[in-house]
Amino acid sequence: MKKWISVALPKGRLGDQVYDMLERSGYDCPEIRSGSRKLIFENEEVGVRYFEVKPTDVVKYVERGSADVGIAGKDILLEYDPDVYELLDLGIGKCRMCVAGPKDWEDDNERTLRVATKFTRITAVYFAGKGRDIDLIKLHGSIELAPIVGLSDVIVDIVETGKTLKENDLEVKEEIVPISARFIANKASFQFRTAEIEAMRDALARETAGNK
Ligand code: PRP
């Protein structure tokens, strides 16, 4: 009997795009398109099982081995630093992790910089690398509001089109790191099922060739 490969897919547009790529490569699972509220979708014939989870949770399922492989943004990998293998840059979900602030704001090195973000680890590492003292303010959403109402001086957040910054009179001050989606694997799964996981990675790599 064929053993399942479990794939943690991030819910939303990125997950949909990656599923399309896998479907074209033969890892199809028609039930996933049924609009059902189920969270697990299986295709026994192919031996693939998909979990749909919140993008930030993908790394938890993969790191602890509940899923053999998964798709996670580089932002999530840098922030949570999970003990997984990063096997492929999918070249989609591209954006930039940036420091942003009001257009008229100028940095004053004499003062502690107040930084609002969801990405506290990335932010702490980045400013520590610059030798800059910061007051780190962890938020969970609507980060762009913080400098507008004086909660912080700047923010660290993802910029994709730049529309959110523009509409809130903010601008990019510094770029920290480019981001894209990565194919990741649980370390033990990769050790025991190398050929199957590499086959999936290679199929995605063929689909990805035009994305880079
Ligand atoms: C992200 C990010 C920005 C926005 C940037 O939020 O936090 O707010 O996208 O995109 P843009 O440059 O194209 O305007 P997201 O929509 O992922 O929601 P979230 O705040 O819940 O993470």
Side-chain angles (χ1 to χ4, degrees), residues 118 144 157-164:
K118 272 191 285 199
E144 291 82 1
D157 203 6
I158 281 167
V159 179
E160 191 182 350
T161 62
K163 195 163 179 271
T164 311

